[in-house]
Amino acid sequence: MSTAERLFSEHGLSAVSNRQICEAAGQGNVAAVSYHFTGKAGLIRAILSTHGDQIDRIRGRHLAEVGDSDDIRDWVGCLVRPVAEHLASLGTPSWQARFGVQVMIDPLLRAISIDEALVRNSLRRTLEGLGRCLEDLPAPVRAERGDMARHLITHTCAERERALAEGAVPPRSSWARTAEALTDAIVGLLTAPVTPRTTS
């Protein structure tokens, strides 16, 4: 799984074959991916699930801290900080955030990723808390901005991960600072005024 995640993040999902994964992982059986995961989609789901479990535990701790808060910043923090803390725990180099971008841009795998995430109680509770803070925002706008926030988190984390791997990170930069900046940006995004629609 670790080898596959690295190869996918470096070369893209479609450019990496099951045979290449097995050979890079030192597996003599080139059918190991099919045997253990029933194919590439199963392998990708397993990688997503492994990271998802770890993020879920961290998010549970943050949810316990915010309780029944009505502050949108608390709920955005529950969305962002667990991801950043998990990525920080992986060390350098890591590939999880860049792998996440590859999954997000693949139509089929994006659906698998979203399904995998939404079965997690901690994420559902976070989204419910955010929803309570955004009750005045029209549902279509809320959904659109939710998609924007997901892209912002995924791509910002992937860019930081890439910069870390290349040794190009500013000295005072950290995953905690990235989480703060993302929280600021997403709170602004979610609470921005909505331009009235014209009837033309």
Side-chain angles (χ1 to χ4, degrees), residues 8 16 21 35 45 52 61 66 72 80 90 96 112 122 198:
F8 288 147
V16 178
I21 294 167
Y35 177 78
R45 189 184 289 274
R61 189 180 75 243
V66 303
I72 189 171
V80 172
L90 298 177
Q96 200 274 321
I112 291 174
S122 67
T198 61

Side-chain angles (χ1 to χ4, degrees), residues 80 104 145-159 178 181-187 189:
V80 172
M104 180 177 276
R145 292 184 182 183
D147 286 341
M148 292 176 186
R150 184 167 50 252
H151 281 278
L152 188 60
I153 294 167
T154 304
H155 287 277
T156 300
C157 289
E159 281 303 304
T178 300
L182 278 168
T183 300
D184 291 342
I186 293 170
V187 168
L189 170 65

Side-chain angles (χ1 to χ4, degrees), residues 89-108:
S89 76
L90 298 177
T92 302
S94 62
W95 297 274
Q96 200 274 321
R98 288 172 285 172
F99 168 76
V101 169
Q102 295 294 332
V103 171
M104 180 177 276
I105 62 176
D106 183 286
L108 174 63

Side-chain angles (χ1 to χ4, degrees), residues 4-25:
E5 185 178 49
R6 175 178 59 80
L7 291 174
F8 288 147
S9 70
E10 291 176 343
H11 305 291
L13 299 173
S14 61
V16 178
S17 69
N18 291 351
R19 175 183 288 274
Q20 288 171 306
I21 294 167
C22 293
E23 289 174 351

Side-chain angles (χ1 to χ4, degrees), residues 70-118:
D70 59 1
D71 184 345
I72 189 171
R73 189 175 179 85
D74 286 340
W75 294 105
V76 172
C78 285
L79 196 63
V80 172
R81 290 185 300 172
V83 175
E85 288 178 26
H86 173 59
L87 289 168
S89 76
L90 298 177
T92 302
S94 62
W95 297 274
Q96 200 274 321
R98 288 172 285 172
F99 168 76
V101 169
Q102 295 294 332
V103 171
M104 180 177 276
I105 62 176
D106 183 286
L108 174 63
L109 296 174
R110 180 177 179 274
I112 291 174
S113 172
I114 291 171
D115 287 347
E116 204 286 325
L118 291 178

Side-chain angles (χ1 to χ4, degrees), residues 131-132 134-147 190:
R132 289 193 298 273
L134 298 169
E135 287 179 346
D136 294 335
L137 198 63
V141 176
R142 195 186 312 173
E144 184 178 52
R145 292 184 182 183
D147 286 341
L190 295 175

